[in-house]
Amino acid sequence: MAATDAQNNGTAIRNAFGNVLAFFILLLIGLLAFSIRLFSVIKYESVIHEFDPYFNYRVTQYLTKNGIYDFWNWFDDRTWYPLGRVIGGTVYPGLTLTAGTLWWILNSLNIPLSVETVCVFTAPIFSAFASWATYLLTKEIKGTGAGLTAAVLLAMVPSYISRSVAGSYDNEAVAIFALIITFYLYTKTLNTGSLFYATLNSIAYFYMVCSWGGYTFIINLIPMHALLCIVTGRYSSRLYIAYAPLVVLGTLLASLVPVVGFNAVMTSEHFASFLVFIIIHVVALVYYIKGILSPKMFKVAVALVVSVGLAVCCATIAVLIALVASSPTKGWSGRSLSLLDPTYASKYIPIIASVSEHQPPTWPSYFMDINVLAFLVPAGIIACFLPLSDASSFAVLYIVTSVYFSGVMVRLMLVLAPAACILSGIALSQAFDVFTRSIKFQLPSLLDHSSVDSGDASSKSVAPNDVVKTEKSEDTSKERTSRKSKKKEKEPVERPISKSQAKKRLLVLPLETSIIAIILLVFLGAFYVVHSVWAAAEAYSAPSIVLTSHSRDGLHVFDDFREAYAWLSHNTDVDDKVASWWDYGYQTTAMANRTVIVDNNTWNNTHIATVGTAMSSPEKAAWEIFNSLDVKYVLVVFGGLVGYSSDDINKFLWMVRIGGGVFPHIKEADYLRDGQYRIDSQATPTMLNCLMYKLSYYRFVETDGKAYDRVRQTEIGKKYFKLTHFEEVFTTHHWMVRIYKLKPPKNRIRGKTKKLKSKARSPTASKRKETRRNPF
Amino acid sequence: MEATQRKPFFFFISLFHLFLFANSLSSFQDLHIINAERRIDLSSHIIKVYLTLKVENLGTSPASEVHLAFSPTEVEHLAIVKAAATSGKRKKKTYTPLGVKSADIPDGPNETKFFSIALLTPLSKGETITLEVLYQLTHSLEPFPVEISQSESQLVYFRDSAILLSPYHVKQQTTFIKTPTTRVESFTVVDPVKRSGTELKYGPYDNHTPYSYSPVLVHFENNNPFSVVEELEREIEISHWGSVQVTERYSLVHGGARHKGVFSRVEYQTRQGHGAGASSFKHLLARLPARVHSVYYRDQIGNISSSHLRTGFVKSELEFEPRYPLFGGWKSTFVIGYGVPLQDFLFESSDGRRYLNFTFGCPLLEAVVDKLTLKVVLPEGSRDPTAVVPFQVEQRLETKHTYLDVVGRTVVVLEKRNAVPDHSIPFQVYYSFNPIFMLAEPLLLVSAFFLFFVASVAYLHVDLSIRK
């Protein structure tokens, strides 16, 4: 053994070195998280992706142009015609305000980036923030090494990449950061008991509420954890400080967000937090009384409190239950209910079930989205139990609940991803910890006969390993040292004993085994990296408004959507109404700047059902419905010519279902032949005469003479037909978007009008038309 | 409709004859035109008129100016007038460009407007001179029928006079009208008139008094692209760090007969060229400077992928398509941007000032620009900008703030209405600039980072906690 002074000096330098290294590693992780998401910009272009981001982009444009007050009061009359939509009160403003603030700061520094550019890069920037937040959270749970590993895993987890590539300007992009930072501040408060962090925690929670409807996950998970701690006898004043301020301040702040408002106290999603709030106070009171009374007196007091408390509790619970039971959905929103009961949506709300991201995921999608993390998570859970702390029990609870939720809805895979990263990070870093330590302690004995100092040997022994391993293992070995010292400072009571025991136990691993294990782990990590980069580059970077295909003569670009939207925006009147299925609503308002009937914010089921009914009705009835809605143009998406499979014909059954849900004369069975959906010669006459079929296949036969639909792989049923009430005004280059104009009503002879009217009117559509019929 | 349009026209003509003898501007009496030959080229939507005048001075005093007369509608659509004096015969012909300006003399009969050509040497008694005049008219082909369907071809009216409108006595004159195709629906007959292939020949007419006018109407097919840029904003940003960045914002419209009814993609794709969509256009060509780099072509909603760039030593060509084919009345907006090396366009003049030498006008071929705004963004810290443009433009100054500017950059704004490809000639913007300003922004960044690090160091070394 060398002199202790020298050793202390050495560790101090190594600590400082470790901190600087950790800082640079974090910087690189942030850079990695940012740059891995730029594939979409490099391979395609700097453009907003998909559907919802276009709405967010439009809102941000409005915010930057008109300012915050106009934004809160914004009544959007270009959507949901003729109802309109109160944007300020129905939108989660977090993302918009974030990007708007970013834009404002940049512009006040005279950096004239466009709103679009800022929106495109918001998601990658916040991914970098999210990976730093993961580092902080995991550091609270298991130390710096695990933190860095988890951060690097999160920086490139495919599940998160899928929602945060450059251009994917959606709520989730900032919400995941908000989620992790909230959890970090919660565990930080739990570990320190500082009211400062508790306040920050409420603010982070407020940001999360602003950003995403998924905040209910936080407000249920944290009470669950608090309850778990109480039940397992881990109650402490730190827990009280971590929990109580969050509920009070968090609820107050949450109700400031217009879209949440009084829901923060009135819906069942929040009741768990209030219940636990009561419980934690009871427990706190009990602990307090226990502290001031003698054991004997305490027993008496317990008897008294229990009898009174029980009565009060019963009364409160009875009132609560009565309140909840009185509302039809038991106070839960449709989406939350479909989480608790996975079959709920498909039974009652087809509009939720029709969205592909609300379907339960398949096993391959787990492998695709979290890859090897799925195998590392169980190891991480075990590592969390060695030893179990407040923070690590939180991680376990987080992973368990998020696994359940991700199993219900593929979209919530996103909530699982950080949990999986944290636990895998813990597992990996613990594994490296064990293996490198066992190598470190065995190498000196091997090298002894080559007469080298033990001190030198230990430093040398680390070095060759580092060469073999990738950056990750390097982190862990370096961070281990700094973590050791930190724990010495912080928790002097628990750790030293357990660590020395652990060391002895871990030394059992033989040298060869640990080297092989390390190599295998490195391979596993490499596989993960390769998969993530592939996913970022190939699977998740397509903006979905531009499609490309590789053929023998090179890259072929299908830019039909923007062609159609550009045509609409330049060659139709500003106030014309465009009807399409709700998928294209956001894009039409944002790119074409035309009023739409329904859009992706599916708040009014009846309205969507009206459009669905029109699409599934014969031409004349459809014309009546559209005309009653002042529609001038009808837009359909048709992939039959080039084989674009997510077109309107493939979505058509949902239109029938949703339409039929409100207007019973539309029956799904009429469109199916023997339970099969088909558009070939076997299709039912109802199907072949409905508007969607006609608008999709109008004059399609003239392209190849056979009318072969490449998506359905069949020739269509009815090839030659004429349109009587609609006329084709625009079809894009690859026929992917077709726009039709409603023909103006014909002049009618006075005597005939009444007869025609009564005949044309379909039995259900009349209900809504009577009030809003065009005076001829 | 046709009749109502013509009535005032005849009225107009009869008025002319009334004025014929009454009005006599003394200065115009001396000169007379021995021979006038007019060639009107109607092959595109920009009408080019080549006028050859042989002028003789019969008066006593030498004449230093020759006047051209235009009807008020022509003046409104007149984009450019150029004149040159020719001397020599046939192959040895030499052209001497002459200055042309709008003449400040009281209007002639029926608000006839004048342009004066300043001769280099005054024309003395008995001398003759041959003048070549080129003028171009825009928006002067009136589609008829006004709305056509996809399969129809575009027919237009062209109105002019068979006889040259001139303040002088014209001894002999001929007018040739060249149509783009052989399809001519109708034309006014003013004997003698001859039609052969794509050419209509009016004349020769002898001895017409000043301000004679004989309206003719030609109705013919013209399917050439009527590409009209309603508004073009070109922004030329100079960076002394080595590049000139050009951004051009177009709003393009098809100025021909309006499209009516359906647009059928099937017909457009299967029968392209003949029949379907003959009057529409899709391909556009822009002439860009040589050594152009980082070219982009996009619109409000993103990149447009249909473009090809050919770079060459003398010029580059950008061949591109709008998002959709343009039919009559359809509009489209887009942005083209590119960078060019600074040393090709920025020079130092003898007095130490710098000047930018760049091309005015629209890079699009065969396009009419209704309103062209050219903005030259000078580097921050440049002073006393002056623009030298070879023709009349409106000028003003603005200030613009871009990347990390503190005081803002001076912008020289030049505005021109009714610009045609012949306006694509170089112009200069002179300014003085101190190179030290080039360092302003790097220094700003350096000091910002320095302050940040100082603040960080200070924060780490200051203990702000209350409890010790």
Side-chain angles (χ1 to χ4, degrees):
Chain A
M1 273 278 160
T4 46
D5 263 11
Q7 216 169 25
N8 278 347
N9 213 5
T11 47
I13 288 169
R14 259 201 298 186
N15 280 347
F17 184 65
N19 281 338
V20 170
L21 198 67
F23 176 77
F24 276 106
I25 289 167
L26 277 176
L27 210 65
L28 286 178
I29 288 172
L31 210 65
L32 170 73
F34 182 80
S35 50
I36 201 172
R37 286 162 170 84
L38 297 188
F39 274 110
S40 61
V41 170
I42 292 158
K43 286 184 69 180
Y44 295 88
E45 57 179 290
S46 168
V47 74
I48 307 281
H49 288 198
E50 295 191 323
F51 304 107
D52 288 23
Y54 266 99
F55 170 72
N56 298 324
Y57 169 50
R58 186 164 159 258
V59 176
T60 316
Q61 270 182 321
Y62 188 89
L63 171 74
T64 51
K65 206 187 277 172
N66 297 329
I68 180 90
Y69 291 106
D70 277 356
F71 164 68
W72 288 124
N73 295 325
W74 186 20
F75 178 81
D76 186 8
D77 56 357
R78 299 196 80 80
T79 179
W80 292 97
Y81 183 84
L83 309 170
R85 179 184 170 194
V86 187
I87 300 278
T90 57
V91 78
Y92 285 100
L95 177 77
T96 317
L97 291 179
T98 309
T101 315
L102 267 178
W103 179 86
W104 180 79
I105 290 171
L106 286 173
N107 271 271
S108 53
L109 288 175
N110 276 337
I111 301 177
L113 290 181
S114 68
V115 180
E116 189 188 6
T117 315
V118 174
C119 291
V120 164
F121 292 102
T122 301
I125 291 170
F126 272 79
S127 316
F129 292 168
S131 56
W132 293 332
T134 311
Y135 163 75
L136 292 172
L137 173 58
T138 320
K139 198 179 125 193
E140 285 308 310
I141 296 169
K142 269 287 178 232
T144 320
L148 286 171
T149 322
V152 90
L153 290 177
L154 186 102
M156 51 186 177
V157 61
S159 168
Y160 186 28
I161 285 178
S162 76
R163 288 320 192 96
S164 63
V165 292
S168 173
Y169 178 58
D170 211 347
N171 289 336
E172 289 91 334
V174 297
I176 293 303
F177 161 71
L179 182 90
I180 298 170
I181 199 80
T182 312
F183 287 158
Y184 157 66
L185 287 166
Y186 175 68
T187 47
K188 182 83 185 173
T189 326
L190 213 55
N191 282 348
T192 57
S194 147
L195 204 54
F196 171 68
Y197 285 112
T199 319
L200 282 187
N201 190 17
S202 321
I203 292 167
Y205 172 67
F206 174 58
Y207 186 59
M208 177 71 191
V209 177
C210 280
S211 306
W212 197 31
Y215 77 91
T216 46
F217 179 66
I218 295 183
I219 204 61
N220 284 302
L221 182 66
I222 290 180
M224 274 165 78
H225 179 248
L227 196 65
L228 185 81
C229 285
I230 292 168
V231 168
T232 51
R234 302 180 74 97
Y235 173 81
S236 63
S237 57
R238 285 177 287 118
L239 180 69
Y240 182 84
I241 287 170
Y243 186 71
L246 173 68
V247 171
V248 178
L249 284 176
T251 307
L252 279 176
L253 287 171
S255 53
L256 291 181
V257 183
V259 65
V260 179
F262 278 104
N263 286 349
V265 284
M266 284 168 70
T267 57
S268 300
E269 280 99 338
H270 305 82
F271 280 177
S273 63
F274 300 134
L275 201 68
V276 174
F277 187 67
I278 297 168
I279 292 171
I280 203 167
H281 276 95
V282 172
V283 172
L285 190 70
V286 169
Y287 272 83
Y288 175 70
I289 292 168
K290 198 178 177 183
I292 51 173
L293 293 183
S294 62
K296 213 181 227 176
M297 289 288 281
F298 182 66
K299 265 182 193 162
V300 178
V302 164
L304 196 103
V305 166
V306 162
S307 51
V308 174
L310 265 183
V312 173
C313 276
C314 286
T316 336
I317 287 168
V319 168
L320 273 181
I321 288 173
L323 263 179
V324 169
S326 63
S327 75
T329 57
K330 314 270 185 292
W332 294 81
S333 68
R335 287 215 171 96
S336 312
L337 265 185
S338 60
L339 273 183
L340 297 182
D341 173 10
T343 58
Y344 178 82
S346 52
K347 266 189 284 187
Y348 301 108
I349 322 171
I351 199 116
I352 289 180
S354 76
V355 181
S356 61
E357 62 183 23
H358 291 164
Q359 310 292 339
T362 52
W363 282 114
S365 74
Y366 271 100
F367 186 75
M368 175 74 200
D369 276 359
I370 56 173
N371 201 246
V372 299
L373 304 187
F375 311 116
L376 291 172
V377 162
I381 294 177
I382 292 168
C384 278
F385 279 98
L386 304 166
L388 190 70
S389 67
D390 288 350
S392 65
S393 69
F394 179 75
V396 174
L397 196 66
Y398 179 20
I399 186 86
V400 170
T401 45
S402 61
V403 163
Y404 168 73
F405 286 133
S406 71
V408 176
M409 244 187 220
V410 70
R411 178 178 162 162
L412 293 177
M413 196 77 98
L414 201 56
V415 176
L416 170 68
C421 289
I422 290 162
L423 286 164
S424 312
I426 291 170
L428 271 181
S429 104
Q430 293 283 315
F432 276 119
D433 216 355
V434 169
F435 297 136
T436 47
R437 190 176 296 152
S438 52
I439 291 171
K440 190 178 169 186
F441 279 90
Q442 282 174 52
L443 270 188
S445 56
L446 281 180
L447 295 174
D448 249 352
H449 26 83
S450 58
S451 69
V452 185
D453 260 16
S454 64
D456 274 7
S458 66
S459 64
K460 243 187 201 172
S461 66
V462 179
N465 284 331
D466 285 354
V467 176
V468 178
K469 285 174 271 161
T470 55
E471 151 204 9
K472 219 181 298 159
S473 58
E474 210 169 311
D475 309 346
T476 49
S477 64
K478 290 281 170 2
E479 285 346 298
R480 187 164 41 82
T481 56
S482 63
R483 200 192 79 213
K484 236 193 270 172
S485 62
K486 245 183 206 158
K487 268 178 195 157
K488 262 177 212 159
E489 292 161 17
K490 262 187 190 168
E491 294 165 54
V493 200
E494 274 184 80
R495 289 305 156 88
I497 312 152
S498 63
K499 196 181 281 166
S500 58
Q501 283 171 344
K503 258 186 203 166
K504 271 173 206 159
R505 241 189 301 135
L506 294 173
L507 277 178
V508 177
L509 280 179
L511 183 68
E512 295 77 18
T513 326
S514 26
I515 288 176
I516 290 169
I518 282 179
I519 291 170
L520 285 178
L521 278 183
V522 168
F523 271 121
L524 196 70
F527 178 66
Y528 174 73
V529 171
V530 169
H531 173 81
S532 302
V533 171
W534 172 82
E538 301 293 330
Y540 292 135
S541 64
S544 96
I545 53 162
V546 190
L547 309 164
T548 53
S549 77
H550 294 273
S551 62
R552 263 169 287 130
D553 35 289
L555 187 75
H556 202 84
V557 180
F558 299 88
D559 202 358
D560 285 36
F561 287 107
R562 288 192 295 188
E563 184 183 345
Y565 294 132
W567 184 85
L568 272 178
S569 85
H570 291 303
N571 300 308
T572 57
D573 194 65
V574 182
D575 287 325
D576 284 346
K577 281 85 192 168
V578 180
S580 65
W581 190 233
W582 60 263
D583 292 24
Y584 311 105
Y586 279 165
Q587 290 187 346
T588 310
T589 42
M591 284 199 259
N593 190 22
R594 290 295 171 269
T595 310
V596 295
I597 305 300
V598 291
D599 69 20
N600 309 43
N601 174 268
T602 51
W603 68 275
N604 189 324
N605 194 27
T606 319
H607 220 49
I608 291 179
T610 311
V611 174
T613 308
M615 293 293 190
S616 4
S617 306
E619 216 184 321
K620 182 155 186 163
W623 186 90
E624 300 254 334
I625 296 173
F626 280 143
N627 194 43
S628 72
L629 288 167
D630 285 354
V631 169
K632 204 143 177 215
Y633 296 95
V634 180
L635 180 150
V636 292
V637 173
F638 170 64
L641 187 75
V642 287
Y644 171 63
S645 62
S646 47
D647 65 350
D648 276 348
I649 291 284
N650 272 4
K651 288 171 186 167
F652 183 58
L653 269 195
W654 286 110
M655 302 183 202
V656 174
R657 264 173 222 159
I658 293 168
V662 178
F663 303 104
H665 74 285
I666 302 288
K667 294 182 194 69
E668 193 179 334
D670 292 345
Y671 297 84
L672 303 175
R673 173 78 71 192
D674 307 325
Q676 272 192 322
Y677 176 58
R678 52 202 310 171
I679 45 98
D680 55 7
S681 48
Q682 297 292 307
T684 60
T686 324
M687 178 68 216
L688 295 182
N689 282 315
C690 71
L691 185 70
M692 182 47 77
Y693 178 89
K694 283 192 164 180
L695 296 191
S696 290
Y697 293 116
Y698 178 61
R699 297 187 78 176
F700 179 52
V701 68
E702 289 171 48
T703 53
D704 59 351
K706 287 190 303 187
Y708 183 79
D709 185 323
R710 297 205 188 157
V711 175
R712 268 64 61 174
Q713 305 282 339
T714 173
E715 282 182 30
I716 62 170
K718 194 164 147 189
K719 295 176 183 174
Y720 300 94
F721 53 85
K722 282 207 164 80
L723 293 176
T724 52
H725 290 75
F726 293 85
E727 62 180 11
E728 182 187 10
V729 286
F730 191 74
T731 299
T732 57
H733 187 241
H734 302 100
W735 289 57
M736 275 163 59
V737 184
R738 312 194 69 182
I739 301 169
Y740 293 84
K741 192 176 181 179
L742 269 75
K743 280 189 182 166
K746 281 186 189 124
N747 289 334
R748 288 171 189 176
I749 308 151
R750 188 172 280 271
K752 275 189 175 173
T753 320
K754 272 184 188 166
K755 220 191 284 173
L756 278 169
K757 220 189 224 174
S758 57
K759 225 189 259 175
R761 201 181 285 177
S762 56
T764 50
S766 64
K767 188 179 70 185
R768 40 189 310 107
K769 252 180 291 158
E770 235 133 37
T771 50
R772 212 186 310 119
R773 207 174 160 79
N774 275 1
F776 290 112
Chain B
M1 180 141 172
E2 183 64 0
T4 50
Q5 270 185 353
R6 238 177 242 183
K7 241 179 219 164
F9 216 67
F10 283 122
F11 179 66
F12 177 65
I13 296 315
S14 53
L15 267 182
F16 257 128
H17 287 278
L18 268 180
F19 275 110
L20 214 61
F21 302 103
N23 187 309
S24 54
L25 289 160
S26 59
S27 64
F28 296 150
Q29 288 302 304
D30 299 343
L31 297 176
H32 78 159
I33 295 168
I34 305 170
N35 188 15
E37 188 190 285
R38 218 167 20 141
R39 294 187 174 272
I40 303 174
D41 184 4
L42 300 179
S43 51
S44 82
H45 68 305
I46 302 170
I47 299 162
K48 300 186 183 81
V49 183
Y50 302 93
L51 189 63
T52 315
L53 299 174
K54 200 169 177 190
V55 187
E56 189 182 11
N57 191 355
L58 294 178
T60 47
S61 53
S64 59
E65 283 181 330
V66 177
H67 287 88
L68 299 171
F70 292 97
S71 72
T73 43
E74 273 180 328
V75 170
E76 213 173 284
H77 297 135
L78 196 65
I80 198 164
V81 187
K82 285 199 274 195
T86 55
S87 54
K89 292 253 166 150
R90 299 279 163 188
K91 283 181 183 169
K92 285 182 191 163
K93 225 177 211 179
T94 50
Y95 294 91
T96 329
L98 301 172
V100 182
K101 63 174 198 292
S102 158
D104 258 349
I105 41 181
D107 290 347
N110 284 306
E111 296 175 14
T112 306
K113 298 276 194 306
F114 297 99
F115 278 77
S116 67
I117 303 170
L119 300 178
L120 290 176
T121 48
L123 202 63
S124 50
K125 184 175 187 302
E127 269 185 344
T128 60
I129 187 168
T130 312
L131 296 173
E132 292 273 354
V133 179
L134 163 71
Y135 63 90
Q136 298 186 0
L137 300 167
T138 58
H139 298 289
S140 297
L141 295 178
E142 181 197 335
F144 189 84
V146 178
E147 287 192 331
I148 54 170
S149 68
Q150 189 181 349
S151 56
E152 285 176 287
S153 128
Q154 179 173 269
L155 299 170
V156 292
Y157 279 148
F158 171 66
R159 297 168 203 278
D160 201 354
S161 164
I163 300 160
L164 178 72
L165 181 67
S166 168
Y168 307 116
H169 185 92
V170 185
K171 253 188 179 169
Q172 196 188 43
Q173 57 178 306
T174 342
T175 299
F176 299 92
I177 297 179
K178 191 170 166 274
T179 54
T181 58
T182 51
R183 188 173 167 198
V184 177
E185 296 286 297
S186 67
F187 58 93
T188 315
V189 178
V190 183
D191 280 324
V193 58
K194 208 174 91 190
R195 189 191 152 199
S196 59
T198 60
E199 199 174 71
L200 269 173
K201 183 182 174 193
Y202 282 95
Y205 305 114
D206 291 331
N207 285 331
H208 274 279
T209 46
Y211 304 112
S212 299
Y213 201 86
S214 163
V216 290
L217 182 75
V218 187
H219 192 200
F220 63 99
E221 181 189 58
N222 190 341
N223 278 328
N224 287 305
F226 276 46
S227 51
V228 178
V229 182
E230 289 188 314
E231 217 176 326
L232 169 61
E233 190 191 305
R234 300 181 79 199
E235 193 177 275
I236 301 161
E237 198 172 323
I238 302 166
S239 161
H240 277 252
W241 289 98
S243 95
V244 176
Q245 189 65 40
V246 185
T247 316
E248 297 170 348
R249 297 183 186 84
Y250 292 88
S251 69
L252 185 73
V253 66
H254 185 302
R258 295 188 61 81
H259 177 73
K260 74 167 178 212
V262 301
F263 164 66
S264 170
R265 181 63 75 167
V266 156
E267 274 169 27
Y268 184 74
Q269 277 172 340
T270 52
R271 281 187 274 154
Q272 208 159 13
H274 34 279
S279 68
S280 71
F281 62 91
K282 195 171 180 182
H283 300 279
L284 295 168
L285 190 70
R287 286 256 158 81
L288 304 182
R291 304 219 286 158
V292 68
H293 62 85
S294 15
V295 180
Y296 62 86
Y297 168 47
R298 54 172 292 149
D299 65 1
Q300 284 166 333
I301 53 177
N303 194 29
I304 310 173
S305 47
S306 47
S307 60
H308 299 281
L309 179 72
R310 283 191 297 269
T311 49
F313 289 107
V314 185
K315 60 170 196 282
S316 307
E317 279 183 337
L318 179 71
E319 201 180 69
F320 62 100
E321 294 173 10
R323 285 197 187 273
Y324 40 85
L326 285 178
F327 282 83
W330 286 13
K331 290 177 184 174
S332 180
T333 57
F334 53 87
V335 179
I336 294 175
Y338 49 89
V340 281
L342 184 76
Q343 63 265 31
D344 292 7
F345 295 96
L346 195 79
F347 307 96
E348 200 165 344
S349 65
S350 50
D351 60 348
R353 300 180 80 196
R354 284 146 214 269
Y355 70 95
L356 173 86
N357 187 29
F358 211 80
T359 317
F360 201 90
C362 169
L364 279 190
L365 255 63
E366 286 297 303
V368 172
V369 186
D370 289 349
K371 188 186 173 199
L372 195 151
T373 313
L374 212 142
K375 293 183 172 177
V376 181
V377 184
L378 302 174
E380 202 177 17
S382 46
R383 279 168 290 117
D384 328 315
T386 45
V388 179
V389 190
F391 39 83
Q392 190 87 37
V393 288
E394 280 176 47
Q395 286 191 27
R396 63 171 193 275
L397 291 181
E398 279 178 2
T399 316
K400 186 190 176 192
H401 290 267
T402 58
Y403 295 90
L404 297 172
D405 285 349
V406 182
V407 292
R409 304 179 183 207
T410 315
V411 185
V412 180
V413 186
L414 307 171
E415 270 184 12
K416 167 98 185 111
R417 288 186 180 273
N418 209 6
V420 287
D422 281 57
H423 284 118
S424 297
I425 43 179
F427 74 101
Q428 292 81 33
V429 174
Y430 290 84
Y431 62 97
S432 35
F433 179 74
N434 191 345
I436 201 78
F437 281 107
M438 281 168 73
L439 294 175
E441 273 154 25
L443 283 178
L444 191 78
L445 278 181
V446 166
S447 47
F449 274 98
F450 179 71
L451 282 178
F452 172 71
F453 284 121
V454 167
S456 309
V457 168
Y459 172 76
L460 288 177
H461 284 82
V462 172
D463 191 0
L464 288 174
S465 60
I466 300 163
R467 193 180 49 179
K468 292 283 171 194

